[in-house]
Amino acid sequence: MVSGVYPGGNSETVIRSVVTPLEEQINGVENMQYVRSTASNDGSFSISVIFKQGTDPDQASVNVQNRVQQATPVLPQEVIRMGITTSKQQNSMIMIFNLYAEKDQYDEKFLQNYANINLIPSIKRVSGVGQAMVFGAKDYSMRVWLDPRKMANYGLEPIDVTNAIADQSLEAAPGKLGVESNSALEYVIRYKGKKNKPQQFENIVVKNDGVNLIRLKDVSKIELGSLTYSGDNLSNGKKAVTIAIMQTSGSNANDIEIGVNEQIETLSKSFPPGIGYYKLMSTKDRLDEATGQVKHTLIEAFILVFIVVLLFLQDFRSTIIPAIAVPVAIIGTFFFLMVLGFTINILTLFALVLAIGIVVD
């Protein structure tokens, strides 16, 4: 999965300037079957590269990352600055849960920020987790709402504001004073770095012609808001963010979900008052139900075979032979499942139920 965001771009722009160059480079990567891409009007995009069964996911990820690097020179600088992520994962989600505010004391931005800082890092450390995606409000961002009329009065364009922010809000390494000199002391220069408060952004100088000093607050409204406002996430009418768990290739979904549940249960003890969570979807529940059905079927089949044969043949020795044949046949089935590379899932468990029925018949 190759994903990123083009700030301010609509879906058509993203497809034309980002997705198409990436697809052209990624297409034809070793053992690839096909590519599927999506782009949204909030500027986000994702490219799913599907590989042949049995392909080493680690090597495939490296190969795709190399192709993405080849496309970097032709991509917009805004996309490169925001970053392009390449990750290996399965197509389907194994678990989805909501983090919600019981009352209105927390908004979606707070919940998103809290999840990214306190939940997502711990969840990603669970063995087998390929991706933990958060849906809902985006991260905190400094929003600069330009006033077109004021901008026109001062003869300014949006690029002037962008350049002013880039020039006056940046990280830098000022260095030291007194290095390799005869002075007794050496001074390390400290720099405040990027601005992080609306008041600091308001005082950024956009234009200085020697007569008029125009600051950012003169032509815009500035607030600490969200990266995008393209969606609104509610859970039973309460503000919430949704977190989806994806697994890596070859991992055990049951073990992953057990580990994730343990992490969430531990982390929930330190949630701020008024924040709760609950599961929306779990593959483990369906898998446990299907496994239980196989166990019940196997036990019932064994008992039925034993009773029916004993009742009609009236011979205990003749009863033991078919009674032993049932578990032996099932053990043989598991052996061939392993040899052929099948995993225990809903389909194979259903096939086991049918196989047990055939053996009993």
Side-chain angles (χ1 to χ4, degrees):
M1 176 76 74
V2 180
S3 57
V5 62
Y6 188 0
N10 57 32
S11 59
E12 184 179 358
T13 304
V14 173
I15 290 174
R16 187 171 57 249
S17 60
V18 182
V19 173
T20 300
L22 284 172
E23 279 191 353
E24 288 176 349
Q25 291 295 335
I26 294 172
N27 188 38
V29 67
E30 187 177 356
N31 291 327
M32 186 198 82
Q33 283 191 316
Y34 62 93
V35 176
R36 182 177 62 245
S37 305
T38 60
S40 304
N41 279 326
D42 62 357
S44 63
F45 65 90
S46 64
I47 302 174
S48 299
V49 188
I50 287 75
F51 288 84
K52 295 178 181 177
Q53 186 74 19
T55 302
D56 182 5
D58 294 315
Q59 187 59 49
S61 179
V62 171
N63 292 340
V64 171
Q65 180 64 37
N66 291 338
R67 296 295 186 99
V68 170
Q69 290 298 322
Q70 294 175 15
T72 300
V74 298
L75 298 180
Q77 287 300 314
E78 291 83 355
V79 177
I80 299 173
R81 192 180 302 116
M82 295 296 291
I84 301 175
T85 304
T86 303
S87 60
K88 53 178 183 177
Q89 63 190 41
Q90 298 279 35
N91 290 333
S92 58
M93 302 174 185
I94 63 170
M95 179 182 178
I96 303 174
F97 69 94
N98 272 351
L99 188 71
Y100 67 93
E102 296 175 353
K103 298 181 180 179
D104 291 333
Q105 68 269 47
Y106 306 112
D107 58 9
E108 289 180 57
K109 293 189 293 293
F110 177 87
L111 293 172
Q112 166 93 6
N113 194 57
Y114 185 85
N116 282 332
I117 294 174
N118 298 284
L119 267 69
I120 299 302
S122 298
I123 291 173
K124 285 184 175 180
R125 285 195 291 269
V126 176
S127 178
V129 173
Q131 182 68 279
M133 305 171 62
V134 184
F135 302 100
K138 297 298 183 180
D139 293 334
Y140 280 114
S141 296
M142 196 64 65
R143 305 293 304 198
V144 180
W145 304 98
L146 300 178
D147 188 323
R149 187 171 298 175
K150 293 180 179 178
M151 293 280 290
N153 290 339
Y154 290 115
L156 295 172
E157 297 180 358
I159 189 65
D160 298 324
V161 175
T162 303
N163 292 337
I165 294 174
D167 290 339
Q168 300 173 50
S169 176
L170 74 162
E171 296 292 346
K176 302 177 181 178
L177 293 175
V179 179
E180 296 295 331
S181 67
N182 296 325
S183 58
L185 298 176
E186 180 179 294
Y187 296 94
V188 178
I189 303 174
R190 297 178 61 187
Y191 176 64
K192 291 182 178 180
K194 287 188 175 182
K195 304 181 188 303
N196 53 22
K197 296 180 180 179
Q199 296 81 6
Q200 296 173 339
F201 275 83
E202 288 175 352
N203 292 320
I204 289 179
V205 177
V206 181
K207 185 177 182 180
N208 184 7
D209 56 7
V211 179
N212 297 319
L213 189 66
I214 303 169
R215 300 185 183 275
L216 195 55
K217 61 183 177 182
D218 298 327
V219 294
S220 66
K221 181 184 71 174
I222 302 165
E223 64 177 4
L224 183 62
S226 177
L227 181 63
T228 64
Y229 293 97
S230 58
D232 191 24
N233 201 36
L234 297 174
S235 175
N236 293 327
K238 299 173 182 177
K239 298 184 184 300
V241 293
T242 301
I243 301 172
I245 311 298
M246 318 276 282
Q247 71 177 113
T248 56
S249 300
S251 57
N252 188 304
N254 193 65
D255 292 342
I256 294 171
E257 193 159 338
I258 291 173
V260 171
N261 286 333
E262 291 176 353
Q263 283 287 348
I264 298 173
E265 183 64 30
T266 302
L267 294 168
S268 66
K269 297 176 182 177
S270 59
F271 280 177
I275 290 183
Y277 80 96
Y278 69 89
K279 285 195 291 186
L280 287 174
M281 186 274 286
S282 168
T283 56
K284 186 178 184 302
D285 294 341
R286 298 200 299 268
L287 196 61
D288 289 345
E289 182 67 25
T291 306
Q293 290 294 329
V294 173
K295 291 178 181 177
H296 289 310
T297 304
L298 184 58
I299 294 171
E300 292 166 1
F302 184 83
I303 294 173
L304 281 173
V305 167
F306 190 88
I307 293 174
V308 170
V309 174
L310 182 62
L311 184 66
F312 282 89
L313 296 183
Q314 300 291 321
D315 182 15
F316 188 76
R317 183 180 178 183
S318 300
T319 305
I320 291 295
I321 296 172
I324 294 175
V326 173
V328 169
I330 300 303
I331 293 172
T333 303
F334 279 110
F335 171 76
F336 282 102
L337 281 173
M338 184 179 68
V339 170
L340 296 174
F342 288 101
T343 61
I344 295 298
N345 52 50
I346 303 298
L347 288 176
T348 53
L349 287 173
F350 176 64
L352 277 172
V353 174
L354 292 178
I356 292 170
I358 293 171
V359 171
V360 171
D361 290 344

